[in-house]
Amino acid sequence: MADTPVRVRFAPSPTGKLHVGGARTAIYNWAFARANHGTFILRIDDTDPTRSTEENTRVILRAMRWLGLDWDEGPEVGGDFGPYRQTERAQLYRDAAQRLWDEGKAYPCFCTPEQLEADREAARARKDPFQGYQRRCRSLSREEAQARIDADEPYVLRIKVPEDRGDVVVRDAVHGEVTFAARELDDFVIQRTDGTPTYNFATVVDDAAMGITHVIRGDDHLSNTPRQVIVYEALGAPVPTFAHISMILGADGKKLSKRHGATSVEEYRDAGYLSDAFVNYLALLGWSLDGETTIVPRDVLAREFSLDHVSKNPATFDPAKLDWMNAEYINRMSDEEYTEHVMRPALEVAGVEPGEHDADWWAALARICRPRTKMSADAAQVAAPVFATAETLAYDEKSVSKGLGREGMGAVLDAARGALEALGDWTAEAIDAALEPLPEALDVKKRLVFQAVRVAVCGNMVSPPLGETMALIGRDDCLARIDRARSMAA
Ligand code: GLU
């Protein structure tokens, strides 16, 4: 299929939210499509009516949008191969099943669950290497089968695995050649008694109808693949290239689950992770650009992704590394990006009304807060002293006792106030220069002087650089804060 344009799909079942594992599968499909100038299709596999919900579908689409994984065909965008929800494709599955039956490639089976169980039991007892369906109904004549259907006897449709099919060899882009022995191939069910298709059938009918060239999905589906190959062959459709990607494990080596913390994509969104950092991190769980580069922005991923760099070994989800990645993305932002995508949203979530400031003011704020922001939400906290006023500023008790409690700190604040009040320019450099001579003049250690002023103006000892912060706060409010702090100082 070398010259066929790439068409891939992500086909989540809306039985829950979009999880980390599904998101990574989606990312690989998206990136593969983009890197090959192909088409990325989103299909909703909602054939399990008891567990699929409209709400889950909505949440999955929303999570996909947050991840920035735009799809070319699918719900909300349409396309030439729709509909893109399996529940809306029921007739296609029935038609395909009927066609296979008409062509003698499928047949109705009337065996009751009791009969099937008894046959399995007998196969076990005689140690038959084949323990699947014993093909009782395979040789029923068409007339006989039709008569039983007309008499309302429940039946399923089973695929007829050709007698001489032999082993199924799957050429997987990640796992290489995987052979499934012929004796393990069962005449499996393609249509249930209620007329609904089974997963292995519906998936292949859709993948064939949608012209899917590469099936990239979790390797929990590898064992389904030989059955799907049999369906492709029965349908007379080309078998796509398969790429089964490894599981994601938690730090304890067990499959990632709730026990390891957040698993759904939107939990990460709500915790303040950046979509770009999250996508970068997930992309590296099983794929690498060159074995060492860790920052792979979206556009590079979309250009460079290839299946031959996907590892077949399970990947381990490491929350600390994700946090590092997130901080790294924040640190690489421009002042404007940081202001718009991190600071302003963080302030909004924190309920802080920032007031009117010009672009230079925001840029200066970005410069001092960005290196101290690991998670988006940190931004509001780091910037809190800047957005407080002399009345609203919260003083951290420990900082007050450590920074202002020492003998002589009252005099330090008085001297600082005098120097600041007399300043011509209210800039970071001027503020620093005004405070600089105080330690010597007062004969107090430099660290203690700056610590006292910092606590008085910011309420804590961990705020960003003092001069820059005070410049942003403004002179009047800084002086008012020093006045307020004066009564707390010894
Ligand atoms: N709906 C299936 C799942 O969510 C899709 C599997 C596949 O990609 O074939 O696991």
Side-chain angles (χ1 to χ4, degrees):
M1 278 194 212
D3 298 330
T4 316
V6 161
R7 289 177 60 84
V8 290
R9 80 324 190 255
F10 174 54
S13 301
T15 53
K17 302 187 162 92
L18 183 60
H19 283 191
V20 165
R24 187 198 45 172
T25 302
I27 291 167
Y28 284 10
N29 276 285
W30 173 84
F32 186 72
R34 295 293 168 259
N36 291 285
H37 309 288
T39 304
F40 175 49
I41 297 155
L42 178 62
R43 186 176 74 220
I44 302 297
D45 279 5
D46 54 357
T47 39
D48 181 348
T50 53
R51 293 167 58 227
S52 300
T53 70
E54 202 37 53
E55 170 64 8
N56 285 334
T57 300
R58 229 169 42 78
V59 172
I60 290 170
L61 298 188
R62 199 172 60 201
M64 289 287 288
R65 297 239 182 256
W66 180 72
L67 291 167
L69 305 178
D70 52 318
W71 54 98
D72 308 307
E73 295 177 22
E76 293 176 354
V77 306
D80 294 341
F81 297 78
Y84 295 93
R85 292 170 197 254
Q86 288 194 323
T87 41
E88 294 170 19
R89 301 175 63 84
Q91 193 57 46
L92 287 162
Y93 310 131
R94 271 196 293 272
D95 291 348
Q98 181 69 41
R99 176 159 77 82
L100 292 192
W101 183 13
D102 290 345
E103 291 173 359
K105 295 170 179 166
Y107 61 91
C109 162
F110 302 89
C111 294
T112 61
E114 296 74 29
Q115 177 73 66
L116 296 174
E117 184 47 37
D119 284 352
R120 252 193 308 271
E121 198 45 57
R124 264 198 294 271
R126 65 173 186 273
K127 299 209 164 49
D128 191 330
F130 178 75
Q131 309 222 341
Y133 176 62
Q134 298 294 322
R135 303 185 168 179
R136 276 177 187 279
C137 297
R138 188 164 154 133
S139 49
L140 288 180
S141 71
R142 180 118 201 170
E143 294 67 37
E144 195 178 340
Q146 195 55 57
R148 290 172 73 169
I149 291 171
D150 292 344
D152 279 343
E153 212 178 306
Y155 70 99
V156 298
L157 281 181
R158 287 182 184 275
I159 196 117
K160 192 184 274 181
V161 178
E163 211 71 76
D164 54 355
R165 175 58 184 80
D167 296 349
V168 174
V169 180
V170 174
R171 280 176 198 84
D172 190 278
V174 176
H175 292 263
E177 244 177 42
V178 188
T179 303
F180 296 88
R183 67 177 149 70
E184 283 166 24
L185 294 175
D186 206 355
D187 281 356
F188 57 92
V189 176
I190 58 170
Q191 182 178 290
R192 304 187 188 92
T193 40
D194 63 2
T196 60
T198 54
Y199 157 71
N200 281 318
F201 189 62
T203 293
V204 175
V205 169
D206 286 345
D207 287 345
M210 294 179 177
I212 300 302
T213 56
H214 296 74
V215 171
I216 306 170
R217 60 183 172 196
D219 67 7
D220 47 333
H221 285 295
L222 184 56
S223 59
N224 287 318
T225 308
R227 292 179 167 195
Q228 296 187 8
V229 169
I230 295 292
V231 178
Y232 280 105
E233 290 172 355
L235 293 173
V239 179
T241 300
F242 291 98
H244 286 94
I245 52 184
S246 66
M247 270 196 303
I248 301 179
L249 307 178
D252 56 0
K254 304 226 168 76
K255 192 174 172 344
L256 195 68
S257 73
K258 246 341 277 152
R259 283 179 303 116
H260 299 99
T263 51
S264 85
V265 167
E266 292 196 332
E267 282 175 273
Y268 286 92
R269 178 200 64 187
D270 295 344
Y273 289 90
L274 297 171
S275 156
D276 286 350
F278 192 63
V279 166
N280 187 159
Y281 179 70
L282 290 189
L284 293 186
L285 286 180
W287 171 82
S288 81
L289 182 63
D290 52 17
E292 54 185 32
T293 307
T294 46
I295 302 297
V296 185
R298 199 182 281 281
D299 56 325
V300 178
L301 179 67
R303 208 168 48 234
E304 304 291 342
F305 183 86
S306 72
L307 291 173
D308 45 322
H309 283 211
V310 173
S311 162
K312 61 176 161 207
N313 302 322
T316 303
F317 188 86
D318 179 354
K321 222 166 176 174
L322 170 61
D323 288 357
W324 172 85
M325 180 82 73
N326 200 62
E328 208 43 40
Y329 266 78
I330 289 176
N331 218 357
R332 286 166 187 241
M333 285 180 162
S334 69
D335 294 339
E336 293 72 32
E337 285 169 336
Y338 178 83
T339 300
E340 292 314 312
H341 302 305
V342 178
M343 183 56 85
R344 281 187 182 277
L347 292 173
E348 197 173 325
V349 171
V352 174
E353 173 46 63
E356 289 296 317
H357 304 283
D358 63 18
D360 287 345
W361 188 93
W362 281 107
L365 181 70
R367 279 196 297 279
I368 59 170
C369 294
R370 189 177 42 221
R372 292 166 178 78
T373 310
K374 295 212 173 331
M375 300 292 298
S376 300
D378 298 345
Q381 210 189 335
V382 176
V386 173
F387 291 103
T389 64
E391 288 83 50
T392 62
L393 179 69
Y395 282 91
D396 168 56
E397 222 172 282
K398 269 213 190 99
S399 302
V400 168
S401 84
K402 196 152 176 233
L404 300 175
R406 193 186 292 264
E407 192 57 44
M409 290 304 121
V412 166
L413 289 189
D414 291 341
R417 192 189 195 289
L420 293 168
E421 196 172 15
L423 263 188
D425 278 350
W426 189 257
T427 62
E429 299 73 37
I431 294 164
D432 286 333
L435 298 176
E436 202 54 40
L438 296 186
E440 208 182 315
L442 298 166
D443 195 20
V444 177
K445 278 200 190 107
K446 183 174 177 188
R447 183 176 58 82
L448 298 180
V449 170
F450 279 83
Q451 191 170 275
V453 179
R454 179 184 293 278
V455 173
V457 174
C458 299
N460 64 54
M461 299 199 295
V462 292
S463 57
L466 192 54
E468 272 116 321
T469 307
M470 289 173 71
L472 290 167
I473 292 170
R475 185 198 318 251
D476 291 349
D477 211 71
C478 283
L479 297 182
R481 292 179 194 206
I482 294 175
D483 291 340
R484 182 178 164 200
R486 183 62 183 83
S487 60
M488 304 179 221

